[in-house]
Amino acid sequence: MSDRLQDKVAVITGAGSGIGAACARRFAAEGARVVVSDIAENACAGTAGALAEAGAEYVVAPGDVTSREDTEGIAGAARDSYGRLDVLVNCAGITTRDVADVPDPDERWQRVMDVNLKGTMLMCQAAVEIMRATGGGGSIVNIASIMGHIGYPPGSGLSDGFSAYVHSKGAVVQLTRDLGAALGREGIRVNAVAPGSVETRLTESLRANPEMFAKLLARHPLGRIAQPEEIANVILFLASDEASFVTGANWMVDGGYTAA
Ligand SMILES: NC(=O)c1ccc[n+]([C@@H]2O[C@H](COP(=O)([O-])OP(=O)(O)OC[C@H]3O[C@@H](n4cnc5c(N)ncnc54)[C@H](O)[C@@H]3O)[C@@H](O)[C@H]2O)c1
């Protein structure tokens, strides 16, 4: 490990699990001071425990990214604890499978949009305000998806064509372009990654279905799905000064899914 984020203060949402937790561990190993945030307080504690064991500097700031008050509190924890905010990684996200028990279809759609799109937007707003106030620019990495660039394959059984997940991730791609264009002059870079399938809680039910999982593997030219650390590697690059001329970009991290 090295010091690619030495002295940087990084806020990570969805840090209790999966890609966010992998980012928290990796960023800390690269010298960042990490604000660990998630709606699930016990999940935050799990990640915090790993950081404590590694001797990292961190604070825990649980919250719901769909609430403006909470997002201001999460970003504010960076300012209050460390006097600045250099990096924001928006990993909080849900799929349509997470809202399957909500009876009203309009509400199901809205909940996914609220977490994935509104939550990302609110966190960006709260972080940018602090980046501006403290100066020195910053770097934001949003988590889109291959499903922000393409639709679900016909006959996959994963969408009826009205999938809020697809809609929300496509909008995150555009949010990233819009913000990247708007904030460049202020030294604030905004990029997104678009992962293919990753071995996290989010894909648990798909991986538990052997037929579905075989189809999923077949769609990734590398012949496997990703480990969360492989997504965190690219997020780390985009967050760091090594990506100093990259903004408004959407990086596919998909094992070739969208190339095939
Ligand atoms: N796993 C994949 O295959 C995959 C593929 C493409 C994109 N992504 C995206 O990556 C991101 C991270 O997903 P993951 O795979 O690590 O899933 P995950 O379920 O392991 O982690 C998501 C985290 O977000 C948190 N969260 C949910 N709603 C929240 C809210 N309202 N406020 C704050 N936190 C909230 C959850 O508690 C959870 O800890 C998501 O945006 C997801 O859409 C995942």
Side-chain angles (χ1 to χ4, degrees), residues 30-148:
E30 295 287 346
R33 291 167 283 173
V34 180
V35 177
V36 176
S37 186
D38 202 287
I39 196 169
E41 294 197 25
N42 56 344
C44 281
T47 301
L51 299 195
E53 214 166 286
E57 253 193 274
Y58 68 91
V59 292
V60 174
D64 178 350
V65 295
T66 67
S67 148
R68 184 176 287 281
E69 194 186 342
D70 281 14
T71 54
E72 287 172 353
I74 295 164
R79 182 198 48 224
D80 298 347
S81 303
Y82 303 119
R84 53 185 306 103
L85 197 174
D86 302 293
V87 173
L88 166 67
V89 183
N90 281 308
C91 287
I94 60 172
T95 70
T96 43
R97 295 183 291 281
D98 292 312
V99 292
D101 61 343
V102 175
D104 178 42
D106 293 357
E107 201 185 325
R108 281 202 296 274
W109 187 89
Q110 193 61 56
R111 281 206 198 173
V112 175
M113 295 302 282
D114 279 352
V115 178
N116 294 359
L117 177 58
K118 184 183 172 197
T120 298
M121 188 273 292
L122 288 178
M123 276 308 309
C124 287
Q125 273 187 339
V128 165
E129 197 172 305
I130 295 172
M131 287 171 179
R132 277 185 176 141
T134 50
S139 177
I140 296 174
V141 185
N142 295 325
I143 317 301
S145 166
I146 47 175
M147 291 307 152

